[in-house]
Amino acid sequence: MFKLLNTFSRLNICSNAAPARSIATDSSLWIQASSVLYGEPLKKKKKIDPAIVRAREDRKKKKIERAIKKLKRQANRPKPVDEIEVPYELIDQKELRERPAAQWSEEELLEKHILLKKWTLYKQQRRLEDLQLIDRMVYSQQRALDELKLASPRLYEAAIQIDPELLPYSTEGPVYTPPVKDYDSPDGEYLDVSKKWE
């Protein structure tokens, strides 16, 4: 009986689910405190003058309002793109570089219009001929495969396999090279020259 109580008290003490402090009845005197007993009194808050607290909050509000106003002012202004800005030298040379517009007579305009119509009709006919040729080739190929399937299923299966030699493709991977002596490898640093826009 004493042995059973001793085992029970050890189980009760060693389990983490014990809600409160447990003291063992055997000679080892195990003591376990729950997490509630680890607490300590809260630190006293310093009393701050309400005017100072109000002034801090007002400063934060004004700072946020200024940032919002600045964003609203710059919302409609697009970012400048350096690549599409025309250099000032070219702007100064505008009169020198400007060419007069070509003057076309009525006959030349009519001839250009007729040529454009003829070219459009020619390209349309070529496209139709190409589509018809492709259709004929696909139809002939399908008929030949159907006949082959009826004649010999084994040859048909071999015929529909993809030919790897049809499109030859070869690559060479990295080759093994010995390290270069006294090579100072770059450390990956770079100078960022991009402009910051607020």
Side-chain angles (χ1 to χ4, degrees), residues 29-175:
L29 291 176
W30 290 355
I31 297 174
Q32 182 176 4
S34 66
S35 58
V36 176
L37 300 177
Y38 293 144
E40 62 180 39
L42 297 174
K43 294 179 180 178
K44 289 185 178 179
K45 291 185 177 180
K46 294 181 182 178
K47 291 185 179 179
I48 303 175
D49 188 18
I52 296 173
V53 174
R54 205 174 311 116
R56 285 181 186 168
E57 290 176 357
D58 289 342
R59 266 187 260 132
K60 285 182 184 177
K61 284 181 186 176
K62 286 180 182 177
K63 187 176 179 182
I64 292 171
E65 287 172 359
R66 280 196 302 265
I68 290 172
K69 283 182 185 177
K70 188 175 181 182
L71 287 173
K72 283 183 180 177
R73 269 188 267 127
Q74 294 182 354
N76 297 331
R77 193 184 329 161
K79 287 183 183 179
V81 180
D82 293 335
E83 289 82 13
I84 61 174
E85 287 183 0
V86 181
Y88 290 117
E89 299 89 31
L90 295 179
I91 294 173
D92 293 340
Q93 298 173 0
K94 183 181 176 186
E95 289 80 18
L96 296 174
R97 293 175 174 267
E98 198 169 23
R99 289 182 281 179
Q103 299 296 324
W104 299 94
S105 67
E106 290 288 328
E107 294 171 359
E108 289 173 333
L109 287 173
L110 184 62
E111 187 179 346
K112 280 180 66 175
H113 187 68
I114 292 171
L115 278 175
L116 182 63
K117 281 190 171 184
K118 285 182 179 178
W119 176 252
T120 307
L121 185 63
Y122 168 74
K123 292 302 284 183
Q124 183 183 9
Q125 288 173 350
R126 284 296 306 270
R127 183 173 180 274
L128 285 173
E129 289 171 5
D130 289 344
L131 289 174
Q132 289 171 356
L133 178 65
I134 291 170
D135 286 343
R136 281 198 305 268
M137 290 171 66
V138 169
Y139 178 72
S140 300
Q141 182 184 25
Q142 191 60 45
R143 272 186 55 200
L145 284 173
D146 291 341
E147 292 293 328
L148 184 63
K149 189 174 186 179
L150 293 174
S152 172
R154 186 178 56 81
L155 289 176
Y156 171 76
E157 289 297 327
I160 62 172
Q161 295 298 321
I162 297 172
D163 185 11
E165 300 297 323
L166 190 61
L167 296 172
Y169 176 74
S170 63
T171 57
E172 286 187 15
V175 296

